[in-house]
Amino acid sequence: MSTSTPTSTAIIGSTGLVGSHILSTLLTSPTTSSQVQTISRRAPANPTNSSRLSPTVNADTSTWPTLLSSLVPLPTTVISSLGTTRVAAGGIANQWKIDHDLNVDLAKAAKQAGVKNFVFISSAGTRGALSTKVPYSQMKRGVEDTIQSLDFEHGIILRPGLILGEREKAQHAGQGLLYGLVRGLGRWVSLGVQDRFAQEAEVIARAAVKAAKMAEEGKAPGKWWVLEQDEIVKLGRDEWKE
């Protein structure tokens, strides 16, 4: 696809930690999509009041697949950073409905509507030796497998490690201390040590945006592209240019 061809990107999860950075990156970069669409429970932040943002707000997540397939213009690329925690969801069963079932339904709706590229923020360890025993890994793995089976022009998976950033609500009581220790390793030992198991949300977002842009320009390394932590850091920080 030519870089001059107008494109539209839809973001699912635009009010979350990584998703909000994906949105701000797309809205502030002059070289990305001409229009940015979102589907969320509440209105996403738009600090620059960009006219490129077209938000759809609906608290009923069961309507989201239909809303996605009805977007005008049809997005060239869908990026999903949709996810919750077991505590926020009220248990594993409810978390599964969001992290797995809704993402699967969104990917299927996108494919049926004719979306070319689907980018999913997954998690490190989904293919590890113990992944089949860990519900969280099973959720992410199931979504990855669905995206691959749908055979988009490009299916792109990002598998970050621990995601660093300022959240609206702490995931657990020791979150601040943990983040401080991890960032301390980056400052006092080596940023490379931190990079092996943790990435800043902004870096992950930039990597997702960069990978999507490469796919739209025909520069992705393949139809199915999995970015592990080292490649996320490479695209989202070391080689990042707006």
Side-chain angles (χ1 to χ4, degrees):
M1 176 180 294
S2 170
T3 57
S4 63
T5 302
T7 60
S8 174
T9 301
I11 309 171
I12 311 297
S14 60
T15 61
L17 178 57
V18 175
S20 62
H21 280 288
I22 292 172
L23 177 59
S24 63
T25 299
L26 284 168
L27 292 179
T28 57
S29 175
T31 62
T32 55
S33 300
S34 58
Q35 185 169 353
V36 181
Q37 301 156 300
T38 61
I39 301 175
S40 54
R41 291 191 183 96
R42 53 189 172 88
N46 185 11
T48 62
N49 293 317
S50 174
S51 61
R52 295 164 61 196
L53 175 61
S54 298
T56 298
V57 179
N58 193 315
D60 183 0
T61 58
S62 68
T63 67
W64 289 9
T66 300
L67 290 172
L68 176 60
S69 62
S70 303
L71 289 176
V72 177
L74 180 70
T76 307
T77 299
V78 172
I79 304 177
S80 178
S81 60
L82 178 67
T84 185
T85 65
R86 180 177 58 184
V87 173
I92 287 292
N94 287 333
Q95 185 184 12
W96 191 280
K97 293 176 183 178
I98 299 296
D99 282 43
H100 179 273
D101 295 350
L102 184 52
N103 271 308
V104 165
D105 289 344
L106 287 162
K108 290 179 178 178
K111 177 63 177 180
Q112 186 172 13
V115 171
K116 294 181 178 180
N117 310 310
F118 200 98
V119 181
F120 177 58
I121 311 300
S122 186
S123 177
T126 58
R127 305 288 159 170
L130 299 178
S131 62
T132 58
K133 306 294 184 182
V134 180
Y136 183 74
S137 295
Q138 292 174 340
M139 297 176 206
K140 299 299 185 184
R141 185 171 183 160
V143 179
E144 290 182 11
D145 290 346
T146 296
I147 295 169
Q148 186 173 24
S149 71
L150 288 171
D151 196 31
F152 287 93
E153 286 191 14
H154 293 94
I156 301 173
I157 307 298
L158 281 76
R159 294 179 181 160
L162 177 66
I163 301 175
L164 304 175
E166 298 302 320
R167 302 176 186 270
E168 291 185 356
K169 295 181 180 180
Q171 291 180 304
H172 51 78
Q175 178 176 296
L177 177 60
L178 176 61
Y179 285 7
L181 289 172
V182 171
R183 286 177 170 141
L185 285 173
R187 288 193 302 269
W188 302 324
V189 181
S190 166
L191 191 57
V193 173
Q194 175 185 310
D195 291 342
R196 293 174 187 173
F197 61 92
Q199 294 80 45
E200 297 287 347
E202 184 178 26
V203 171
I204 299 165
R206 287 176 171 178
V209 170
K210 178 65 173 179
K213 186 171 184 287
M214 290 173 65
E216 291 171 358
E217 294 176 346
K219 298 178 181 178
K223 285 175 59 68
W224 178 245
W225 184 11
V226 177
L227 287 78
E228 303 289 356
Q229 296 177 75
D230 57 345
E231 196 163 9
I232 290 171
V233 170
K234 178 182 177 182
L235 288 186
R237 189 189 67 209
D238 296 346
E239 297 182 356
W240 171 254
K241 292 182 181 180
E242 290 188 333

